[in-house]
Structure formats: structure tokens, C-alpha cells
């Protein structure tokens, strides 16, 4: 896995017995729980070997966890440096202040949205019941016995109009597969998915990589017309008017219509993808890691836009992310997935402030936060259970426990 590769890299470097270790974004591509393991390893090695470390990162939460001294760089210039507490508690330079204020930091549920009255009287717009998705196993361990990858295993949830349900969990936990099933892109092995929308295409999707999901040879007008044409609509004046309105609404200039994707920044391209998803007036938008590839301050502005659009159009969001700080800003409710199973679901503040399942606790404990200084990262080698199961395997029935109003937790085997 990525975490193991990174540990091997560190072992190779340490074998040379260095006095100084330079770690350049060593955990950026990793899940937070794996990141916490790498951080634990680095902290342990530093204590044992007395080596010095230059730790390069864009994540202030990580800085708070590991650094003694901090240097802030902007466009090639060191704009501020000093002791950790000094820089974080009394930033002097405007850019440091910006980094500390504009960027979402994880605060254990203190920053969740206040507009989340769940309207349980209205029927759910998406209902998922006992969803099971299995893929035939490729060559390998169970080749002859034909086992299966249990990617999604008995997942249950519903989504109400106007609300955001965030799905969190590490990579490979089944988040995207669940989303693809709702969009009808992956067939369910078992279970029921019901979508009750007004129009023909009630569910639209925004993906992580805004460049890969936009055909580079099409101009913006064609890109925006694509979903409408696919739904059998004609490109007429009314449709063009909607394009212009939506472009303006997501903060892009009207003359963007004649331009091509490469002429936009990453954040602008993601705004374009959002506008495109809204062309057919959907009821539900599935956002799969939609802000994960964006620069942190751009990310904050796109989140604000999404919240505004949700209120204006009454959209329901299924917001998939591995980033707890981002999820805290946008979710009304949170579903936690672990190894293909839903382990905890409920009100966002409740799940973040009082996580109940052991995995949710580990996940939240691993999130870097600026209020956790010089964190005592501990090496914990808990292995994620394999999704590869032999033929005929059926998981034991799931039992749940209520942990409050709108908060339930899967019972764990002892
Ligand atoms: N088409 C497929 N064929 C076989 N295995 C798949 C397929 N799609 C996903 N998987 C497997 O299902 C598991 C869950 O994947 P995914 O839903 O993409 O996780 P996440 O989005 O949480 O990172 C992974 O082990 C992945 O390798
Ligand atoms: Mg995914």
C-alpha cells in the first residue's frame, strides 16, 4: 500500500544514519489514518536518533503536530518564521493569517452548519437499503475458488431534499462504488436503490479531477450542452440562457462560453463542472472528492459556492470525501464507511464530537488539528480487513445501536 511504500522509503533513508532528514509532503497522498502512522514513525525516529528534520507541508494541522519552529513561505519568500506557538497563536504576516483563517481546520464538530433541520416529514429523495456490491475477484489468492471483492456490504441510508450527507472513510472503503450504484453506473448485487426525482435525470455527478472530466477539445458551450443533448434536448435560446445564468452563478465570466478547459485554473474548471451538473435541474448532486484536488484556499471558496447553490436550488448533496475538515463545513449528516460497510451514521455534530465506533474514533483521532500541538502520534498497526472473500461467504447480520437522536452505530464483534 501507499503507506507501506512510504515506510520503506523512510527506512532506506534512516539506514544512512542522517543528521538531517528533509521530508517533502511525505504524507500528502495518504489517508489520514495512514498519515498518522507515518507521523508516529517520524516522531519516534527523531526521538531515538536525535536527527533534525525539515518537514515541508501545506497542512497547518500537521505542522502543529510535529514542529518546534515554523517558516511560512509565499511565492519563494520566507514571509514569517518563529516558534510554533508564536506563529500559530500570534501570526504577524497577512499570508500566515490568511492560511490560518481562510482554510478549513478540523474542530471536532464545532464548525458544522447551523441550517440543518432535518425534514423527516418529507419523503426521502434517495433511499438505499441493504446495498451489496461484489466484483468477481481477479487472479490471485482465490483464483480457482472464484472469490469476490465485497466492495459494498449491506449499506443503508437515505437522503432528504436540501440536505448534505457526507460519506467519509479511507480509500478503498467503498465510497465511490456506492455513489456509482446510485447513478446507475454500477449494478447492485443485492439491495434496493430508489431515487424519487422530478426530471429525467434527477441525479448528477461532479468528480474529483475537473480536467479529466472535461473533454479538452470541446469549448465551454459544448461542454455545458452535453448533458442536455444526452437527455435528448435541443440546443436553443432557452438552453443558452441557462448556460449564461449558471456560468454567472458559479462565478465565471459570460465570455467563458467560447473558451476551452485548459484556459481555466483548477478551481474555475471545478466551477464549470458544477455548472454543468446543474444544467438539467437535478434534485441530487453526487460530489465524489470534488474539492480534494483544489488548492486549500480555492477549496474554501468552492465549498461556499456549493452551500449557496444548495440553498438556492434546494439541492440534496451526497458529498464523498476523505477530508474531515472539509466534511465538517458542508455536511448536515455524516456516514462513515469502513471496509465496505457503513459503521456509523447520523447528525454531523454528533458524529464528529462524539464518535462511537472504534473506526470513527481512530479516523477522527488521526485528523491533524491546530489545537493539538506536538501531538503524541502513536504507532498503531490495526489492519483494515480484506475485502476479498472466498466463494459463498456471507457476512454475519448487522446489528445497530442508537447513540442519540439521528445517530446510530454498528455493533462491533468483541
Ligand atoms: N470495477 C471493479 N472491479 C473490481 N473491483 C473494484 C471495482 N471497482 C471498485 N473495486 C474495488 O472495490 C473497493 C472499493 O472501491 P471504491 O468504491 O473505489 O473505494 P473508495 O471510493 O472508498 O476509495 C476497492 O477494493 C476497489 O479496488
Ligand atoms: Mg473513491
Amino acid at each position: 500500500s501507499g503507506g507501506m511504500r512510504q515506510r520503506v522509503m523512510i527506512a532506506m533513508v534512516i539506514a544512512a544514519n542522517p543528521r538531517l532528514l528533509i521530508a517533502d509532503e511525505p504524507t500528502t497522498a495518504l489517508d489520514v489514518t495512514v498519515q498518522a502512522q507515518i507521523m508516529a514513525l517520524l516522531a519516534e525516529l527523531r526521538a531515538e536518533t536525535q536527527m533534525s528534520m525539515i518537514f515541508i507541508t501545506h497542512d497547518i494541522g500537521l505542522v502543529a503536530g510535529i514542529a518546534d519552529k515554523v517558516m511560512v513561505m509565499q511565492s519563494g519568500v520566507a514571509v514569517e518564521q518563529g516558534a510554533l506557538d508564536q506563529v500559530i497563536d500570534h501570526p504577524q504576516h497577512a499570508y500566515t493569517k490568511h492560511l490560518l483563517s481562510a482554510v478549513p481546520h478540523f474542530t471536532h464538530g464545532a464548525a458544522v452548519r447551523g441550517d440543518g433541520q432535518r425534514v423527516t416529514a418529507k419523503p426521502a429523495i434517495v433511499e438505499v437499503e441493504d446495498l451489496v456490491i461484489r466484483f468477481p475477484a481477479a487472479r490471485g489468492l482465490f483464483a480457482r475458488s472464484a472469490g469476490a471483492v465485497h466492495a459494498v456490504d449491506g449499506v443503508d441510508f437515505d437522503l432528504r431534499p436540501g440536505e448534505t450527507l457526507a460519506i467519509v472513510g479511507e480509500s478503498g472503503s467503498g465510497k465511490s462504488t456506492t455513489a456509482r450504484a446510485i447513478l446507475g453506473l454500477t449494478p447492485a448485487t443485492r439491495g434496493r436503490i430508489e431515487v424519487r426525482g422530478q426530471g429525467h435525470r434527477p441525479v448528477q455527478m461532479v468528480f474529483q479531477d475537473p480536467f479529466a472530466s472535461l473533454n479538452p477539445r470541446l469549448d465551454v458551450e459544448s461542454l455545458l450542452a452535453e448533458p442536455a443533448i444526452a437527455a435528448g434536448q435541443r440546443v436553443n435560446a432557452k438552453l443558452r440562457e441557462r448556460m449564461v445564468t449558471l456560468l454567472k452563478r458559479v462565478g465565471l465570466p459570460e465570455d467563458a462560453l467560447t473558451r476551452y478547459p485548459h484556459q481555466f485554473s483548477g478551481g474555475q474548471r471545478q466551477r464549470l463542472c458544477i455548472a454543468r451538473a446543474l444544467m438539467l435541474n437535478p434534485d441530487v448532486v453526487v460530489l465524489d472528492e470534488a474539492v480534494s484536488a483544489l488548492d486549500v484556499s480555492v477549496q474554501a471558496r468552492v465549498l461556499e459556492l456549493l452551500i449557496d447553490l444548495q440553498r438556492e436550488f434546494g439541492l440534496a448533496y451526497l458529498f464523498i470525501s476523505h477530508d474531515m475538515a472539509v466534511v465538517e463545513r458542508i455536511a448536515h449528516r455524516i456516514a462513515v464507511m469502513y471496509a465496505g460497510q457503513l459503521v456509523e451514521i447520523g447528525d454531523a455534530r454528533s458524529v464528529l464530537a462524539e464518535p462511537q465506533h472504534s473506526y470513527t474514533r481512530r479516523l477522527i483521532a488521526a485528523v491533524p488539528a491546530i489545537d493539538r500541538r506536538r501531538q503524541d502520534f502513536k504507532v498503531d498497526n490495526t489492519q483494515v480487513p480484506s475485502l476479498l472473500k472466498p466463494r459463498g461467504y456471507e457476512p454475519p447480520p448487522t446489528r445497530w445501536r442508537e447513540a442519540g437522536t439521528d445517530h446510530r452505530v454498528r455493533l462491533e464483534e468483541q
Side-chain angles (χ1 to χ4, degrees):
S1 69
M4 288 174 182
R5 276 200 293 275
Q6 204 61 308
R7 284 191 222 196
V8 170
M9 287 290 292
I10 292 170
M12 281 162 58
V13 168
I14 297 302
N17 223 339
R19 307 225 333 256
L20 170 66
L21 176 70
I22 301 179
D24 189 353
E25 303 266 9
T27 60
T28 302
L30 304 175
D31 283 314
V32 277
T33 46
V34 181
Q35 168 172 275
Q37 297 317 303
I38 299 292
M39 297 305 284
L41 180 63
L42 287 173
E44 221 167 70
L45 286 170
R46 189 176 58 155
E48 273 169 25
T49 63
Q50 298 293 313
M51 68 177 176
S52 306
M53 186 155 67
I54 296 178
F55 190 90
I56 301 168
T57 180
H58 67 278
D59 184 337
I60 298 213
L62 272 187
V63 170
I66 198 156
D68 301 307
K69 288 199 290 186
V70 185
M71 178 168 102
V72 181
M73 290 195 70
Q74 180 191 27
S75 316
V77 180
V79 293
E80 178 158 1
Q81 46 185 310
L84 175 71
D85 297 330
Q86 188 63 35
V87 172
I88 288 185
D89 297 331
H90 309 286
Q92 301 297 312
H93 193 274
Y95 182 65
T96 315
K97 290 179 187 165
H98 166 78
L99 276 184
L100 285 162
S101 65
V103 172
H105 299 295
F106 184 64
T107 61
H108 297 267
V112 295
R113 292 168 65 172
D115 63 350
Q117 266 318 319
R118 238 199 149 206
V119 193
T120 41
K122 275 196 233 164
I125 192 144
V126 177
E127 261 179 292
V128 176
E129 215 178 272
D130 192 31
L131 179 65
V132 172
I133 298 173
R134 292 177 189 163
F135 298 107
R139 255 163 289 129
L141 201 53
F142 292 111
R144 246 172 297 136
S145 60
V149 175
H150 289 217
V152 177
D153 194 12
V155 165
D156 272 295
F157 62 82
D158 63 14
L159 184 62
R160 305 273 161 178
E163 81 177 355
T164 305
L165 173 70
I167 304 185
V168 302
E170 52 206 272
S171 57
S173 57
K175 306 183 297 295
S176 295
T177 306
T178 303
R180 292 174 57 82
I182 291 170
L183 279 137
L185 299 172
T186 297
T189 308
R190 205 165 66 204
R192 190 174 70 91
I193 297 173
E194 202 168 315
V195 180
R196 294 190 196 90
Q198 308 283 320
H200 286 301
R201 301 275 195 290
V203 190
Q204 291 293 317
M205 183 136 176
V206 178
F207 295 93
Q208 167 166 10
D209 184 347
F211 207 52
S213 51
L214 294 172
N215 184 339
R217 282 184 300 271
L218 296 183
D219 63 10
V220 169
E221 177 167 354
S222 315
L223 286 168
L224 289 178
E226 230 176 21
I229 293 168
Q233 290 180 18
R234 302 260 293 286
V235 182
N236 52 23
K238 203 168 143 234
L239 198 74
R240 278 209 189 81
E241 199 184 295
R242 179 149 182 87
M243 292 179 189
V244 173
T245 314
L246 280 175
L247 280 182
K248 220 184 281 165
R249 192 57 200 82
V250 301
L252 291 173
E254 195 176 318
D255 70 357
L257 275 179
T258 54
R259 292 201 257 158
Y260 290 82
H262 72 265
Q263 294 171 289
F264 298 96
S265 67
Q268 287 175 321
R269 283 200 291 262
Q270 202 55 302
R271 286 166 192 267
L272 202 57
C273 292
I274 293 168
R276 185 165 66 158
L278 297 182
M279 278 300 290
L280 294 181
N281 240 325
D283 303 284
V284 180
V285 182
V286 176
L287 299 128
D288 192 353
E289 302 280 3
V291 301
S292 304
L294 303 177
D295 193 63
V296 278
S297 44
V298 177
Q299 202 175 55
R301 287 201 295 276
V302 173
L303 281 179
E304 274 167 34
L305 171 67
L306 285 172
I307 291 174
D308 288 346
L309 292 171
Q310 178 169 51
R311 290 203 188 112
E312 190 175 328
F313 298 108
L315 299 166
Y317 289 153
L318 191 65
F319 190 89
I320 297 172
S321 178
H322 69 281
D323 185 334
M324 302 297 278
V326 162
V327 162
E328 183 174 5
R329 303 298 140 139
I330 198 163
H332 295 116
R333 306 180 75 233
I334 297 177
V336 184
M337 284 191 73
Y338 179 62
Q341 300 185 325
L342 192 65
V343 296
E344 183 158 358
I345 182 167
D347 170 69
R349 189 192 305 272
S350 185
V351 170
L352 295 180
E354 290 160 73
Q356 304 287 321
H357 193 276
S358 62
Y359 173 69
T360 317
R361 291 196 176 154
R362 256 190 290 139
L363 182 68
I364 286 176
V367 179
I370 42 178
D371 59 353
R372 274 193 244 156
R373 306 281 163 90
R374 294 178 198 87
Q375 203 177 341
D376 192 13
F377 293 103
K378 285 200 189 64
V379 178
D380 158 12
N381 280 312
T382 315
Q383 292 287 325
V384 179
S386 169
L387 299 179
L388 189 59
K389 308 288 189 200
R391 196 217 310 249
Y393 174 85
E394 284 301 327
T398 314
R399 287 178 305 143
W400 293 86
R401 167 171 76 78
E402 297 295 324
T405 352
D406 189 27
H407 187 171
R408 63 189 163 99
V409 192
R410 191 185 193 99
L411 287 181
E412 299 177 58
E413 288 138 49
Q414 295 309 315

